[in-house]
Amino acid sequence: MEKILDEVRRDAIEKLKTADTEDLHLLTDAAAYACSLTKVKQLYGLSAVKQAVGNSQSEFFRFICNFISEPFEADDAIQLITNEYWSRNPQGVQAMTAYIYIRTALCIPDPEHPFPGEFRFLLQSLVPPGSLRREFEEKTGKIDREIESRHERKISESFSHIIWPEFQDAETLENIRALESVLDRLPDRDIQRLIREMDIDTISACICAFSENMQNRVIQNLSRRGGTQIKEVAIQLHPINEKIASQSMANMLLVLGRLEASGEIRIL
């Protein structure tokens, strides 16, 4: 089937050479849009991608994605959508945008499809070098920032509306008090050192049990993306199991003790 796709790719490259210069922005628009779908899948899952595809301005893309959503074998799906390409016989820029849409339609539903960065590199290779590739980079960068910013706002809003549990177990309450007391006496650089030693699930479980002030202190010592990831996991853990919260805080205390013993952090 790769041979069939390669024939379409070569045809699209040849037709792109005859494209009108003023139409070339359509190519970078299509490639940037395809990249945005991989970002949407990464953040929100395949169902969000399907919704986005339904709103696509490209009738060809919507059409071939409908093919992919049917219960066809992969080889049959490739045969069907490449047949559609040859039947429509797109010209100029439209030929290469059609090829981009074909690759996108095949890659997005595949659980083993390339990571966003790898897929972006693939699409970039289909854009002629020079000013068009710079335009592609600018567009994809802008779209990525917009999607991530919307995602961060959504996660932060959900996180801020969570009503955290009131724990009853004496051991859990003692672990909370002990851990917050130690963290209060750590400078920011040592909190950052501690975080680097912890897995995201443990940090998120501790966040679920901390006071609001301590939640903010820990999150402020994470990168912007790291803070969003911690909030995401915390939202998924809510309502937090008391046993999990207590064990996570106990684990953090153990790591704190180890780092202090090795001299890597200093508890004031």
Side-chain angles (χ1 to χ4, degrees), residues 120-188:
R120 180 173 177 169
F121 183 76
L122 167 65
L123 295 176
Q124 184 187 55
S125 71
L126 300 173
V127 177
S131 61
L132 283 175
R133 284 194 183 173
R134 289 193 295 273
E135 181 180 317
F136 167 73
E137 285 296 317
E138 289 172 1
K139 287 180 178 179
T140 52
K142 181 180 179 181
I143 290 172
D144 278 358
R145 289 191 295 272
E146 289 174 350
I147 293 174
E148 288 176 356
S149 180
R150 287 197 301 270
H151 180 65
E152 287 169 5
R153 289 196 299 271
K154 179 180 178 182
I155 292 300
S156 292
E157 182 178 0
S158 298
F159 183 81
S160 67
H161 287 136
I162 289 178
I163 299 175
W164 301 104
E166 294 287 341
F167 296 117
Q168 303 299 321
D169 182 72
E171 182 180 355
T172 302
L173 294 173
E174 179 57 32
N175 280 340
I176 294 173
R177 285 193 293 268
L179 186 51
E180 289 196 345
S181 175
V182 173
L183 294 177
D184 267 335
R185 290 178 281 146
L186 283 181
D188 286 345

Side-chain angles (χ1 to χ4, degrees), residues 46-249:
L46 190 56
S47 61
V49 175
K50 290 179 179 178
Q51 183 177 354
V53 168
N55 296 325
S56 171
Q57 296 181 353
S58 170
E59 183 273 335
F60 175 74
F61 188 45
R62 296 196 305 271
F63 186 84
I64 61 174
C65 283
N66 285 336
F67 267 147
I68 301 300
S69 65
E70 296 295 329
F72 292 118
E73 293 292 333
D75 287 354
D76 291 337
I78 291 172
Q79 187 72 64
L80 285 165
I81 61 179
T82 54
N83 284 348
E84 190 65 24
Y85 174 90
W86 295 116
S87 297
R88 297 193 181 207
N89 192 26
Q91 301 297 312
V93 169
Q94 295 299 333
M96 183 55 78
T97 58
Y99 177 70
I100 286 173
Y101 286 141
I102 287 172
R103 291 305 302 255
T104 305
L106 290 170
C107 283
I108 291 293
D110 184 353
E112 298 181 359
H113 87 91
F115 290 108
E118 295 173 352
F119 189 61
R120 180 173 177 169
F121 183 76
L122 167 65
L123 295 176
Q124 184 187 55
S125 71
L126 300 173
V127 177
S131 61
L132 283 175
R133 284 194 183 173
R134 289 193 295 273
E135 181 180 317
F136 167 73
E137 285 296 317
E138 289 172 1
K139 287 180 178 179
T140 52
K142 181 180 179 181
I143 290 172
D144 278 358
R145 289 191 295 272
E146 289 174 350
I147 293 174
E148 288 176 356
S149 180
R150 287 197 301 270
H151 180 65
E152 287 169 5
R153 289 196 299 271
K154 179 180 178 182
I155 292 300
S156 292
E157 182 178 0
S158 298
F159 183 81
S160 67
H161 287 136
I162 289 178
I163 299 175
W164 301 104
E166 294 287 341
F167 296 117
Q168 303 299 321
D169 182 72
E171 182 180 355
T172 302
L173 294 173
E174 179 57 32
N175 280 340
I176 294 173
R177 285 193 293 268
L179 186 51
E180 289 196 345
S181 175
V182 173
L183 294 177
D184 267 335
R185 290 178 281 146
L186 283 181
D188 286 345
R189 66 177 180 276
D190 286 349
I191 289 182
Q192 293 162 15
R193 178 67 185 89
L194 169 65
I195 288 170
R196 290 198 296 272
E197 288 292 308
M198 309 297 299
D199 63 83
I200 189 170
D201 289 336
T202 300
I203 299 171
S204 299
C206 291
I207 288 289
C208 293
F210 285 155
S211 65
E212 184 177 352
N213 286 341
M214 189 53 66
Q215 286 177 356
N216 292 334
R217 177 89 194 282
V218 173
I219 290 171
Q220 286 167 3
N221 277 285
L222 292 159
S223 66
R224 183 176 173 181
R225 180 167 179 77
T228 299
Q229 289 177 322
I230 290 293
K231 290 177 182 177
E232 281 183 283
V233 177
I235 290 168
Q236 293 167 5
L237 289 172
H238 181 72
I240 184 72
N241 178 280
E242 189 165 341
K243 183 177 180 180
I244 292 175
S246 181
Q247 184 60 55
S248 296
M249 286 182 290

